[in-house]
Every structure is written in C-alpha cells, then in structure tokens.
C-alpha cells in the first residue's frame, strides 16, 4: 500500500508536468491526476475517509466501492454545486458592468477619493472588508472587472491592481468571522467570536500591508499586460474609458449590480452568525416579513442571480440594445464563465481524490508527537495540509482537530485566539493547481498558470508567513492570560 504522501507527490507531478511540460489543458491534467490518485488509493482508505466525515459504516462501504469514475464525478459535481451558479452569474455581471460603462463610472468615483497613485490601496482595502461577510470568490469575481477597467485607464500597473484585489480577499477569508473558516476555529477552540473579529481585523490589516508591498515589487519584476479575453476585449474597455461622464450610467445604477448582492449577503451572514435560529428577529410581524425577503435574496446564489439581472438591465438601459443582442451578450459571458467552472470543478475533483487517499490523517499522524511550540506547529500543520490537498477549509478543520485537544490540555502561556490566527495564516500556503480558488484567481485575472505561480502563490504564501510571525510576536508581548 502506497503512503498517501507519495500518492500526493505523484498527483502533483502529473498536474504540474501536464500543464507546464506537456501543455495539456488544465481540465485534462487535473482529471488525469485525479484518476491516478484514485487508482493508487486503497478502498480501505476511501472507506475510512467517509467514516471520518461522520457517515455510517454501511454508507461509507457503499461510497468506497463506487467506481473511480463515479467518485471523481461526484467531487466534480460537488464543486460545481458550490461555485457553478456564482461563476456563471459573476461572469454576466462582470461583462455587463464593463460593457455598460458601470465599471468605468465606479473607477472614476474611486479615483476622486483615492487619486490615481493610491488606487491599488483602495482596491486592497475594499476587497478585504467586503470578504469578511461575503464569499471570497464572489468578491474576486465582482472586483476583477474593476481592476481591468482601472488598469486600462491608468495604462500601467494592472498586475498590482489584480494582486491587490486577491491579497485583500484571501486574508479576510482566513482571519475574520463570519467567514466560514474562522467560524470553525471559534467553535473548535472556544474563542469568543468578538475577540477573533478584533484580532483578525488587526492581523489582516497588517498582512495585507505586507501583501501590498509584495504586489508592488512583483509589479516591477514582471511586466504582465492586461490581455484580451472573450468577455472583456481591450478595445471595448478603451472605448468606454474615453467616454464623457454624461454617456455613462449614474453612480447609483453602476453600483447596483455589485452592491445589491454584497449588501444582502452581508445581512444574511450577520443574521446567521449572531441570531439564534428558530426565533423571530423582531417583535413586529411586518418587519419579520421584510427581513425574510432580504434573507431570501441574501442567499449567495439568489443574490448573484439578482445582481446579474440588474447588470443586464443597466446594460440594456444604457446601450438601448435589442433582445437578440442581449441574448448574444449573455452567451459570450457564459462561455467565458463555463471555462472557469470546468477548471475549478476539475481542481475540486483532484482535491477530493487527495482527501480520500487519507493525506490529512497521515499528516496528523506525523505531527501528533512533534515537540514544537504550539503556534508554529499550528501554522506548520495547516500549511502542509493546505498544500497537499488544496482546500483551505479542510486544512483549517484538520489543524483545529489536531490542536484543539492539545490547546485545552496544555498549560498555555497565551490566549487560544493566537492559535486560531496561526492556523488561519497556515491556510494561505501554498496555493497551486489542486486549489479551486487558484484557478478562479488565475482565470478571472487572465494570468497564465506560470504567471500565477510566480505572483499569486508567493504573495499569498509570504502574507501567511508574515501572519504567523506577527502572531508569535503578539502572543509574546500581549499573551492575554
């Protein structure tokens, strides 16, 4: 029986070699790697994986004896279920905002506040605070078209703008509740949610500052232009950038397709995080009905569908386009989004097969008796699991499962909130082809795989490393015990 770590290394070699060396399409490389990993994984390991997830032994046995094709398709479908509608609707919103001039109007409004010189700072802060209540991929989908429009307007620094959007979003996703990962840590370590919010905000602002300077350096080192893509042709963006203000939609209409989903998702996230389910929100039946409507639209899929409808309405209103042209427009946007969905789902299938190989359990066994200080140990375990199987959430769950008991039994010289921050930092290392989020960031920004590995991966990893160093310093100076 092969060691899960060896299986992981074989899968990594197939993905990286297939894409970079043999120039295979990412979907083919990822699915091929998923097949090989599944072939090398014993049935007993798959069964144990489903039992560990809380399934009954009979159900786990049934899952383990499914064909490899069925298991890969299942993980592929699970990933599609999570991100399929989001990506498709975000593709429509992004293209509609670019073509209608809404993105250009928002850019002009932002420049009045930040000035051209500080535009990347506006992007990194916006993506950071928006990702606290909103799904990280949603923020990237909605903000990347703005980065493209700004890059064309400035005629420089596109990589800096794209990396700023990514830097802010990924750090908030690991540190600040009510993002899903931090909520898991709150439960596992019994840390007050308000305390993790404050500490996560402070650490997040520090790490995105580091990320900003890294992005500035990478922007000078790599001359990556803003490229043509089917959903965002440069000549179309340029033509819009040269328009007079009177030819663009008003700022309120321009913001509507993005702000409506963000606002409703924020409200729903806040209610789910702080309100006890099953009890009325207010004493007024009328207000409760209003809240029910808002919460309905706050579902991330419903919110993005509604945002896409608003985006198309703004486009039709601004360009006075015909129904046939609108149908053709949606078709083009969905073709672009469909490619991202396929790559992301294939990445999810590969990551799912790695998880079924027992890689997380194997790493837990290797590190359980490691006599290292708990904060760097938490970071190290999370980093290894994250790099091995791609999912930051799985890495958070694995590390919290290993360390929660140790933290409770050990005579800690610092508050457990620092362990949460160390785990959140470790979840940033190292993004590559087995991570669905990597493909989303890569494809929405129009970077090649090699460019993403040279820019997004090191920036994100260095921000995570800065996070754990700052966490250790804070635990030493302010132990809070």
């Amino acid at each position: 029986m092969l060691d899960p770590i060896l299986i992981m290394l074989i899968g990594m070699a197939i993905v990286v070699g297939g894409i970079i060396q043999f120039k295979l399409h990412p979907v083919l490389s990822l699915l091929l790697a998923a097949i090989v990993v599944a072939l090398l994984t014993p049935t007993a390991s798959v069964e144990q994986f489903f039992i560990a997830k809380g399934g009954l032994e009979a159900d786990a046995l049934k899952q383990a004896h499914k064909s490899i094709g069925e298991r890969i398709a299942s993980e592929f479908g699970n990933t599609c279920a999570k991100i399929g509608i989001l990506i498709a609707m975000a593709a429509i919103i992004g293209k509609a905002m670019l073509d209608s001039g809404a993105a250009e109007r928002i850019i002009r409004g932002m420049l009045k506040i930040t000035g051209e010189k500080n535009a990347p700072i506006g992007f990194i802060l916006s993506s950071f605070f928006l990702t606290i209540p909103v799904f990280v991929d949603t923020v990237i989908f909605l903000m990347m078209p703005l980065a493209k429009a700004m890059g064309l307007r400035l005629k420089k620094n596109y990589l800096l703008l794209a990396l700023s959007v990514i830097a802010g979003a990924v750090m908030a996703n690991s540190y600040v509740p009510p993002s899903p990962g931090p909520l898991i840590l709150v439960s596992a370590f019994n840390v007050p949610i308000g305390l993790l919010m404050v500490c996560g905000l402070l650490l997040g602002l520090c790490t995105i500052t580091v990320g900003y300077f890294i992005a500035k350096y990478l922007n000078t080192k790599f001359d990556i232009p803003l490229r043509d893509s089917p959903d965002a042709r440069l000549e179309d963006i340029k033509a819009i950038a040269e328009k007079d203000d009177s030819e663009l939609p008003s700022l309120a209409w321009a913001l509507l397709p993005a702000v409506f989903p963000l606002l409703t998702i924020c409200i729903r996230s806040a209610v789910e995080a702080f309100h006890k389910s099953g009890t009325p929100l207010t004493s007024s039946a009328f207000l409760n009905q209003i809240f029910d409507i808002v919460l309905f639209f706050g579902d991330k899929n419903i919110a993005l569908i509604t945002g896409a409808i608003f985006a198309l309405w703004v486009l039709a209103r601004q360009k006075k386009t015909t129904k046939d042209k609108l149908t053709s427009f949606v078709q083009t946007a969905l073709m672009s989004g469909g490619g991202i969905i396929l790559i992301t789902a294939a990445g999810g299938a590969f990551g799912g097969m790695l998880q079924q190989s027992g890689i997380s359990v194997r790493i837990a066994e290797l590190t359980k008796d490691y006599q290292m200080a708990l904060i760097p140990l938490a970071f190290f375990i999370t980093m290894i699991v994250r790099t091995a199987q791609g999912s930051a959430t799985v890495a958070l769950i694995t590390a919290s499962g290993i360390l929660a008991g140790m933290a409770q039994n050990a005579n800690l010289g610092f508050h457990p909130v620092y362990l949460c921050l160390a785990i959140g930092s470790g979840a940033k290392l190292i993004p590559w082809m087995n991570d669905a989020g990597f493909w989303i960031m890569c494809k929405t920004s129009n970077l090649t795989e090699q460019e993403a590995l040279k820019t997004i991966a090191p920036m994100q990893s260095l921000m995570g490393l800065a996070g754990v160093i700052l966490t250790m310093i804070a635990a030493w100076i302010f132990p809070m015990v």
Side-chain angles (χ1 to χ4, degrees), residues 113-124:
I113 299 172
T114 65
E116 289 190 358
K117 184 179 178 181
N118 295 321
I121 296 175
F123 274 90
I124 200 168

Side-chain angles (χ1 to χ4, degrees), residues 95-325:
K95 181 166 173 55
M97 288 181 69
L98 283 171
D99 285 18
S100 67
E104 176 65 22
R105 167 63 77 185
I106 294 170
I107 293 305
R108 293 183 189 185
M110 183 183 290
L111 285 176
K112 288 180 182 177
I113 299 172
T114 65
E116 289 190 358
K117 184 179 178 181
N118 295 321
I121 296 175
F123 274 90
I124 200 168
L125 288 173
S126 298
S127 65
F128 178 78
F129 285 106
L130 287 173
T131 305
I132 292 171
V134 179
F135 190 51
V136 59
D137 293 342
T138 304
V139 174
I140 291 173
F141 288 136
L142 294 177
M143 290 199 64
M144 203 59 77
L146 304 184
K148 290 177 181 179
M150 180 71 85
L152 193 63
R153 182 179 183 83
L154 300 179
K155 297 181 175 63
K156 60 180 181 179
N157 295 339
Y158 170 65
L159 179 63
L160 174 58
L161 293 164
L163 291 179
S164 295
V165 170
I166 292 167
V170 297
M171 298 318 290
N173 186 55
S174 275
Y175 288 145
V176 191
S179 292
L183 284 178
I184 292 167
L185 299 176
V186 164
S187 175
F189 290 92
N190 198 25
V191 171
I193 190 170
L195 179 62
L196 185 56
M197 274 185 153
V198 173
C199 295
L201 273 171
L202 293 174
L203 183 60
L205 290 172
C206 291
T207 53
I208 64 171
T209 302
V210 173
Y212 172 72
F213 286 108
I214 294 169
K216 284 192 73 173
Y217 169 75
L218 292 170
N219 187 60
T220 60
K221 187 173 176 61
F222 299 103
D223 184 21
I224 297 177
L226 175 58
R227 299 185 177 100
D228 262 323
S229 61
D231 63 327
R233 295 195 309 156
L234 295 185
E235 62 181 85
D236 294 338
I237 302 175
K238 185 177 180 181
I240 292 168
E242 293 172 349
K243 286 186 175 182
D244 187 77
D245 281 359
S246 61
E247 299 178 85
L248 299 175
S250 68
L251 185 60
W253 287 120
L255 286 168
L256 181 63
V259 170
F260 178 85
L262 290 171
L263 185 61
T264 53
I265 292 171
C266 284
I267 294 171
R268 184 181 175 110
S269 297
V271 170
E272 289 177 347
F274 300 110
H275 181 71
K276 187 178 179 181
S277 61
T279 59
L281 284 165
T282 70
S283 57
S284 167
F286 175 73
L287 286 177
N288 287 336
Q289 287 181 336
I290 298 295
F291 271 114
D292 285 342
I293 294 171
V294 174
L295 294 178
F296 168 78
F297 284 104
D299 175 87
K300 60 178 184 264
N301 291 312
I302 301 295
L304 266 291
I305 292 170
T306 310
I309 292 170
F310 284 143
L312 291 172
W313 187 81
V314 171
L315 176 68
R317 181 175 180 268
Q318 191 65 29
K319 300 189 80 171
K320 297 179 174 58
T321 187
T322 63
K323 293 178 182 178
D324 289 341
K325 287 183 178 179

Side-chain angles (χ1 to χ4, degrees), residues 15-16 19-20 30 347 350 431-436 438-439 449 453:
V15 173
V16 176
I19 293 171
I20 296 177
L30 289 162
F350 175 49
W432 65 288
M433 281 89 157
N434 66 343
D435 174 23
F438 173 87
W439 291 109
E449 292 82 17
L453 288 171

Side-chain angles (χ1 to χ4, degrees), residues 338-350:
I340 300 174
I341 292 170
L342 285 172
I343 294 172
T344 305
F350 175 49

Side-chain angles (χ1 to χ4, degrees), residues 389-429:
Q389 51 72 53
S391 170
T393 303
V394 171
L396 288 166
I397 294 170
T398 303
S400 61
I402 295 168
L403 291 161
M406 295 171 64
Q408 291 164 7
N409 296 329
N411 185 20
L412 284 183
F414 52 83
H415 197 283
V417 71
Y418 292 115
L419 286 177
C420 298
L421 297 176
I423 290 172
S425 300
K428 298 298 98 184
L429 287 79

